[in-house]
Amino acid sequence: MTKIHIFDTTLRDGEQSPGVNLNQLEKLEIAKQLERLGIDRMEAGFPASSKGDFKAVKAIADTIKDTSVTGLARVVKSDIDAAWEALKGAADPAIHVFMATSPIHMTYKLKMTPEQVIDTSVEMVKYARKRFPQVQWSAEDASRSDLNFLVQIIEKVIDAGATVINLPDTVGYATPQEYGQMFKFIQDNVPNLDGVRLSCHCHNDLGMAVANSIAAVENGATQVEGTVNGIGERAGNVALEEVSVALKIRSDFYPYETGLKLKEIKRTSDLVAKLTGMHVQANKAVIGRNAFAHESGIHQDGVLKNAETYEIITPEMVGVQSNTLFLGKHSGRHAFKDRIEELGYQLSDEKLQEAFEMFKQLTDRKREVTDDDLFMILMDIQTDSSAVSKYELEMFQVQYGTNNIPTATVSLTTPNGETVEAASTGQGSVEAVYAALELLVQEDVCLQDYQLQSVGGGKDALAEAYVQLTVNGETVNGRGSAQDVIEASATAYLNAVNRYVVQKQSEKIANTVK
Ligand code: KIV
Ligand code: ZN
């Protein structure tokens, strides 16, 4: 079995998905879960792109010990320097530099000749190699590049010190046959590939990302790059859970193995979906809610007689459990701590106490607390920067019915500690609450997107709301959960506003320190 290295770019290419913006604590939570999943290398971000990204990459590099951490850089010295500053504390640091090689990108985007592209790539790979033990060079838009030009430039960047060569299908245009042939051509024609890893990176614009990645592996790629749940630019990147499970289930056909702990897939997928607000479609391969549901009578009958009649992947293999009830009103601190440790979380005493109090509040309203509910509590605890003063919801009251105008009264504590109250109306109850909040929040807020769903099943399931706002022109996301949909909606709104407030306060502190 050939080992296929898994390179995760959820925190970089995935975070480039429209509408996704994760804060540092959320990125760190995802990074820790990627480490548990057994990813070989994670791309934590693009350090030169913003101060926030730099800090998040640094925090991840300084925390993660069992997975190599990398960051993206253009072929410019300042990007490579920023990447080194962010990554030098990592246990196994690597850099990922990229330059476009297709005629269309070189002519129109870079406005450079092929010779200039070669010279710049070579010079910057050499520069990066002075700091990083591992340098990945990517030929952006490789699948639309001239194959002989690729051979020429790859040979030179390897001589300059590149240890991984990545050939992306940047615009998701290649067919599996073409993409596989490109890898074969490179294998057959680049003379100095020994000891160098070939990597594939597929986008899913034509829905061929998994097939293309596997075609690359069949033709010599030993690294697959992708994201959890397939999130990413436009139609997304290849979904790593799909590639890894396909290789496992069809190991009779494919002589390759990844080191992923497949049982961690479900938890990783849930975490990414919840923190990004990008929900997984019900019929999504491997991880969708319906992936293991058998609806037709004939199928159900077959599965009851022998599960293998219609079930090629067991839910257990990817960590999907039936949502067993486990804790309730009478569960003590000990049982609570044991359960969250079983779920893979280690909390400080202070955070444990905070989580326990939230759990107890929930049991006052909900008889049976499920793993999904606990997961919501843990996510809130782990990603909340409670040290900063923010808006707090004190109270809300809404009156609405079929024959009257929905009216909301909301009371808040502002970041300055003042209590303020306002009332407003709307076409619906949520709109009325949002209109009142808009009067109270001292920023210019505009709602762009709103989603609502339930956590697990049952009459008393928690509601989970996601919003996307622009606050003073900057896009921020927020989420909130509660038993009541209006409370969840109000919490999500304030969560988004608070993320903006926290961000601005930390920028202010950073500038004062300077
Ligand atoms: O799709 C792409 O080409 C990329 C590069 C930056 C590697 O994401
Ligand atoms: Zn990409």
Side-chain angles (χ1 to χ4, degrees):
M1 287 281 197
T2 304
K3 155 103 187 184
I4 303 301
H5 294 256
I6 299 294
F7 176 115
D8 177 276
T9 181
T10 306
L11 297 171
R12 200 276 300 169
D13 227 345
E15 224 242 346
Q16 286 172 221
S17 305
V20 171
N21 66 6
L22 299 166
N23 67 24
Q24 185 176 317
L25 290 173
E26 291 167 341
K27 287 184 184 172
L28 201 54
E29 273 314 293
I30 292 178
K32 288 192 225 156
Q33 181 55 31
L34 292 172
E35 188 181 32
R36 283 186 211 117
L37 177 63
I39 293 293
D40 295 287
R41 180 164 289 161
M42 65 177 84
E43 187 161 51
F46 187 171
S49 68
S50 69
K51 276 192 195 144
D53 229 27
F54 177 92
K55 280 167 70 182
V57 174
K58 180 158 170 44
I60 292 169
D62 294 346
T63 308
I64 299 298
K65 294 292 161 242
D66 293 334
T67 301
S68 171
V69 182
T70 190
L72 187 70
R74 290 165 299 181
V75 278
V76 290
K77 284 187 179 168
S78 54
D79 275 28
I80 297 170
D81 292 342
W84 178 242
E85 282 311 307
L87 289 156
K88 64 186 178 195
D92 184 6
I95 189 166
H96 177 192
V97 288
F98 71 102
M99 195 164 198
T101 52
S102 62
I104 185 167
H105 277 236
M106 290 191 289
T107 311
Y108 295 101
K109 188 182 82 176
L110 299 178
K111 299 192 186 347
M112 285 169 97
T113 63
E115 291 66 37
Q116 287 172 321
V117 168
I118 295 181
D119 292 348
T120 312
S121 291
V122 165
E123 198 192 330
M124 288 302 111
V125 167
K126 277 190 188 150
Y127 185 77
R129 227 10 243 278
K130 288 193 192 135
R131 290 154 179 77
F132 287 90
Q134 295 286 328
V135 175
Q136 168 165 323
W137 176 82
S138 283
E140 191 189 8
D141 207 17
S143 55
R144 294 193 297 171
S145 303
D146 177 74
L147 289 177
N148 291 310
F149 177 61
L150 279 181
V151 167
Q152 217 187 329
I153 191 167
I154 290 171
E155 186 180 347
K156 297 209 164 111
V157 292
I158 292 176
D159 281 344
T163 54
V164 182
I165 299 294
N166 181 39
L167 302 176
D169 181 25
T170 302
V171 292
Y173 180 74
T175 68
Q177 199 183 9
E178 282 168 343
Y179 197 57
Q181 275 168 2
M182 175 175 72
F183 279 84
K184 173 135 183 37
F185 192 84
I186 297 304
Q187 288 264 25
D188 292 346
N189 292 285
V190 175
N192 53 352
L193 273 179
D194 260 6
V196 171
R197 198 180 293 162
L198 271 187
S199 166
C200 60
H201 175 118
C202 296
H203 282 266
N204 204 27
D205 298 64
L206 296 176
M208 293 197 277
V210 173
N212 283 346
S213 302
I214 291 182
V217 166
E218 288 181 293
N219 286 281
T222 52
Q223 173 169 293
V224 174
E225 298 194 4
T227 60
V228 174
N229 298 340
I231 64 170
E233 284 269 0
R234 308 181 308 279
N237 289 61
V238 75
L240 288 176
E241 64 281 3
E242 293 182 18
V243 175
S244 53
V245 170
L247 292 181
K248 174 73 184 174
I249 295 293
R250 295 309 312 273
S251 56
D252 58 322
F253 188 82
Y254 296 125
Y256 315 107
E257 63 187 2
T258 70
L260 291 200
K261 297 185 188 71
L262 302 183
K263 276 195 179 315
E264 291 292 330
I265 283 181
K266 171 76 170 122
R267 194 190 304 171
T268 317
S269 164
D270 282 351
L271 183 67
V272 169
K274 286 180 195 299
L275 292 182
T276 58
M278 293 196 62
H279 301 294
V280 165
Q281 82 210 44
N283 63 333
K284 157 106 168 47
V286 174
I287 211 66
R289 199 174 62 242
N290 292 352
F292 303 100
H294 302 280
E295 184 69 18
S296 103
I298 296 175
H299 287 207
Q300 286 174 352
D301 181 54
V303 168
L304 286 175
K305 289 176 176 146
N306 178 342
E308 283 178 30
T309 49
Y310 288 101
E311 197 172 85
I312 62 161
I313 314 168
T314 62
E316 294 74 35
M317 175 188 262
V318 293
V320 173
Q321 293 157 351
S322 54
N323 213 348
T324 43
L325 311 172
F326 75 98
L327 292 177
K329 207 172 175 50
H330 302 294
S331 308
R333 205 168 183 277
H334 211 76
F336 175 77
K337 182 168 182 270
D338 283 354
R339 186 60 196 154
I340 61 172
E341 283 176 2
E342 274 164 34
L343 289 174
Y345 286 86
Q346 297 290 340
L347 299 188
S348 64
D349 286 350
E350 197 189 330
K351 293 248 176 193
L352 180 69
Q353 185 55 30
E354 215 183 311
F356 186 61
E357 279 164 19
M358 283 170 80
F359 161 71
K360 279 291 174 192
Q361 276 170 17
L362 187 59
T363 58
D364 282 344
R365 301 210 231 160
K366 196 169 189 285
R367 213 160 47 90
E368 294 151 344
V369 176
T370 65
D371 283 355
D372 279 342
D373 300 328
L374 260 199
F375 189 63
M376 294 298 296
I377 293 178
L378 290 167
M379 220 172 53
D380 284 348
I381 293 279
Q382 295 290 72
T383 58
D384 180 36
S385 33
S386 44
V388 184
S389 25
K390 298 172 281 191
Y391 288 95
E392 306 277 353
L393 182 66
E394 292 299 331
M395 160 311 271
F396 75 90
Q397 198 177 343
V398 189
Q399 275 184 314
Y400 65 107
T402 39
N403 293 328
N404 56 15
I405 297 171
T407 309
T409 307
V410 179
S411 157
L412 291 184
T413 315
T414 68
N416 309 330
E418 258 180 278
T419 303
V420 288
E421 191 169 299
S424 196
T425 57
Q427 297 297 319
S429 49
V430 174
E431 195 189 336
V433 170
Y434 281 8
L437 283 169
E438 219 176 298
L439 295 173
L440 296 175
V441 168
Q442 285 144 14
E443 322 291 337
D444 180 18
V445 181
C446 185
L447 179 70
Q448 303 294 341
D449 192 20
Y450 170 83
Q451 295 171 38
L452 188 68
Q453 63 171 33
S454 73
V455 179
K459 281 199 295 205
D460 62 354
L462 289 182
E464 200 181 2
Y466 284 87
V467 295
Q468 187 173 94
L469 308 178
T470 49
V471 183
N472 299 333
E474 286 182 31
T475 305
V476 272
N477 295 348
R479 58 168 199 283
S481 57
Q483 263 200 315
D484 173 71
V485 292
I486 301 176
E487 187 178 341
S489 306
T491 313
Y493 185 102
L494 282 183
N495 179 255
V497 173
N498 281 333
R499 286 161 72 104
Y500 175 87
V501 170
V502 170
Q503 165 89 11
K504 291 297 150 197
Q505 285 188 25
S506 34
E507 279 171 20
K508 208 159 141 195
I509 293 167
N511 289 335
T512 330
V513 172
K514 263 199 235 153

